[in-house]
Amino acid sequence: MPSQLSSEAQKDLHKFMAGLIERNPHEPEFHQAVQEVAESIIPFTLAHPVYRDAQILERMTEPDRIVIFRVTWEDDEGNVRVNRAWRVQFNNSIGPYKGGLRFDKSLTLSVLKFLGFEQVFKNSLTTLPMGGGKGGSNFNPKGKSDREVMRFCQAMMTEMYRHIGPETDVPAGDIGVGSREISFLYGQYKRLMNRFHSTITGKGLSYGGSLMRTEATGYGCAYFLKNMLEHRGDGVEGKTALVSGSGNVAIYAIEKLNELGARCVTASDRNGLLYDPNGIQDEKLAFLKDLKEVRRGSLAEYAEKFGCEFHAGKRPWSVPGQLAVPCATQNELSGDDARTLVKNGALAVAEGANMPTELEGVHVFREARTMFAPGKAANAGGVAVSGLEQSQNAQRLSWSREEVDQRLQKIMGDIHEQCVTHGEAKDGNVRYVAGANVAGFLKVADAMLAFGVI
Ligand code: NDP
Ligand code: 2IT
């Protein structure tokens, strides 16, 4: 329990969380995401009772609806395979549901509810008209052939198409769902609907995708980190950065951080940690992209080729560095990892992934006054450019790379500004978690208030 809360806020928080846990048993990730938000929002609603009286937080923690369905498909040997899929339509108060699809063998409803809940706040912060949702399947794309992935995506869309649409719900990618999967999903949607709708984002450039959507989450995270440091009169240049993950978000975070003058010395995958003290850059970054985006291989291959260290089962957080950028998955940075980072002099943490830091770690960074940007602020660049993809589709035109980049930088700057407005303490310390939560909450809450009791 955070110690800086008043006793009234502590009591309310405890009661609220006890009710939420009782209503949503066995969903630890969802409890964690809600607790992190409630720690900021309950004190805020105590000071602004209009939101409390209208039970806005209670309503916002109950998804509008969840669709659960079976996906049956055939593998290359002709075996019948059965998976489960979900679409969590969390809140559409400020725009159609919007959020990614995740394919991961360990995916659960708890994970999707945490992701959908976070997405509501994140999408609100982007300043674009997007509600929040998330979906996916326990399908494991690892080791599957392209044709198996195609058959799975077609079977999944054959059910999902009736629940989505440009004015209803607009999915995109996430872990395990990249350009290959989006193309198969969109192809089947188009076939079933006989419509060329902007119902999925992250599309290929030849059929309605936006320039820079691929890079947007990682680039946006680097821009946010730059804003954080500049707000303190510092900069990214010359700093050592620890990045985790080696997928879409991590690769483009590394690329932009390199451009801004940082040295990224780590990456990770499910097998372990890559440590390259000279920095992952130039032909080494090109190799990493090919290894992970095209060949879907292991980082151990990079270590072997370039003669650096690979530590099986390890994460980057004990390597000394000033910037930490977790870009793999939830709960990959523990309380102890946070203490190690603080001890080693970390200045700033920007979450490229969704909820990579355990709640204890969030509290450690707050106590140590380490700048800490939660994913809903720092990784919003991806969904923001998804929103820009929808705008381009609606106008039937494509903006240049420079135009999208300018807009992305502006949006990340605006999100930073909102965090400062709602999170800056009297001593100038910016509490990004509280700032992002309150700013994200307000826009959605005001819309819900205006709609009356629904
Ligand atoms: P990818 O599938 O492209 O990459 C995921 C990376 O994380 C891979 O390197 C993968 O390892 C690693 N990883 C996944 N699960 C685990 C695990 N359980 N333990 C250790 N490593 C793991 O996904 P993205 O890069 O798209 O997503 C990464 C994070 O960013 C997620 O939290 C996602 O929700 C978030 N995010 C993504 C956005 C997007 O636009 N794609 C937007 C905003 C947030 P391996 O290579 O071995 O599979
Ligand atoms: O977590 C996220 O913001 C995403 N996976 C991107 C969602 C989107 O709709 O682009």
Side-chain angles (χ1 to χ4, degrees), residues 29-49:
E29 293 87 359
F30 181 53
H31 304 162
Q32 181 184 340
V34 172
Q35 163 106 25
E36 189 248 80
V37 166
E39 286 177 5
S40 319
I41 298 304
I42 285 182
F44 180 81
T45 57
L46 277 170
H48 301 84

Side-chain angles (χ1 to χ4, degrees), residues 102 104 115 122 134 142 173-177 213 217 245-250 268-271 292 297 327-330 352-354 379 382-383:
R102 180 177 288 194
D104 187 280
L115 289 164
K122 183 194 307 190
K134 201 86 187 187
K142 299 272 172 207
D174 194 81
I175 290 177
V177 178
R213 173 61 188 91
T217 311
S246 49
N248 173 266
V249 180
S268 66
D269 63 14
R270 289 170 216 249
N271 300 317
K292 284 295 181 179
C327 297
T329 191
Q330 65 273 3
N354 286 307
N379 73 36
V383 74

Side-chain angles (χ1 to χ4, degrees), residues 216-233:
T217 311
Y219 279 18
C221 187
Y223 291 143
F224 198 88
L225 199 47
K226 177 171 179 278
N227 289 329
M228 290 165 84
L229 288 156
E230 287 177 354
H231 190 73
R232 283 238 183 134

Side-chain angles (χ1 to χ4, degrees), residues 48 56 180:
H48 301 84
I56 296 292
R180 175 183 61 169

